[in-house]
Amino acid sequence: MTNGSDYLNYESLNNEADDLNITIKEKRLKLRDGLCCGDRIAISNDLKTLQEKNCVLAEELGHYHTTCGNILDLSDIRNSKQEKRARNWAYEKLVSIVSLINAFEKGIRTRSELAEYLDVTEKFLGQAIEHYREKYGLYYIVDHYTICFEPSFVIIKMFKPI
């Protein structure tokens, strides 16, 4: 079970954005880590790691693909819903079910190893796992794998009886 590449890093997301004619600029942002306005995305140059930039760029691409208008005022429930939709898009882009299984098959077992393998922050990984728990419930079964989201995150490979 592979998707052609094990993860999407900052460079590959930049290439994807370039293919969509989206301009990405790293610049000083005072109040946020990223901002999407039409076909332009700004990423804060205060972010310290490529993993942080990767997570922020994925979310901003999520905004490009899933939201419309100015949604900066999150006290408006409609804007909060659009924000959540963009984040969920980013979680599924960078921490796909397939990439979780691929990591398991490569012997990756801890959250820190998994975050490093997927080129995301541990915080983003935790939020992605929570997203899948909200989406699927306590567990999700795909092919011969059961992915448990609670009480703790674990992947179990099931074998067919002979």
Side-chain angles (χ1 to χ4, degrees):
M1 173 169 230
T2 62
N3 62 356
S5 86
D6 291 338
Y7 63 89
L8 293 168
N9 61 20
Y10 189 62
E11 182 181 348
S12 61
L13 284 180
N14 264 286
N15 292 338
E16 186 174 311
D18 193 47
D19 291 344
L20 294 167
N21 293 316
I22 298 170
T23 302
I24 298 172
K25 298 272 188 202
E26 289 188 26
K27 59 191 286 181
R28 184 147 168 41
L29 298 175
K30 294 179 182 177
L31 300 176
R32 49 192 41 89
D33 292 334
L35 190 61
C36 179
C37 183
D39 61 357
R40 293 175 294 153
I41 293 176
I43 303 292
S44 174
N45 60 9
D46 289 335
L47 296 173
K48 297 186 180 9
T49 68
L50 283 175
Q51 290 79 12
E52 290 173 303
K53 290 179 182 182
N54 196 33
C55 297
V56 170
L57 179 53
E59 183 179 333
E60 296 311 320
L61 284 170
H63 283 293
Y64 174 81
H65 287 291
T66 68
T67 63
C68 62
N70 180 341
I71 65 166
L72 295 175
D73 177 11
L74 295 180
S75 64
D76 182 331
I77 190 70
R78 294 170 298 185
N79 294 348
S80 293
K81 286 181 179 181
Q82 287 195 74
E83 181 67 29
K84 183 163 177 45
R85 190 176 314 123
R87 286 185 182 169
N88 291 346
W89 187 96
Y91 299 144
E92 294 195 18
K93 184 76 170 175
L94 295 183
V95 185
S96 69
I97 294 292
V98 170
S99 67
L100 293 172
I101 292 170
N102 288 344
F104 172 81
E105 286 295 337
K106 290 183 182 213
I108 294 169
R109 298 296 184 262
T110 68
R111 281 191 188 225
S112 61
E113 289 174 335
L114 184 55
E116 183 178 334
Y117 173 78
L118 296 173
D119 213 18
V120 299
T121 64
E122 286 188 53
K123 178 180 178 183
F124 187 91
L125 175 61
Q127 292 167 331
I129 291 168
E130 175 60 21
H131 159 67
Y132 287 123
R133 189 198 60 72
E134 290 173 359
K135 182 175 181 177
Y136 297 120
L138 299 179
Y139 63 93
Y140 179 70
I141 297 173
V142 59
D143 294 336
H144 300 294
Y145 301 90
T146 299
I147 304 171
C148 299
F149 304 111
E150 275 192 18
S152 61
F153 176 72
V154 66
I155 297 175
I156 303 163
K157 186 172 185 176
M158 301 175 295
F159 297 95
K160 288 184 178 181
I162 299 178

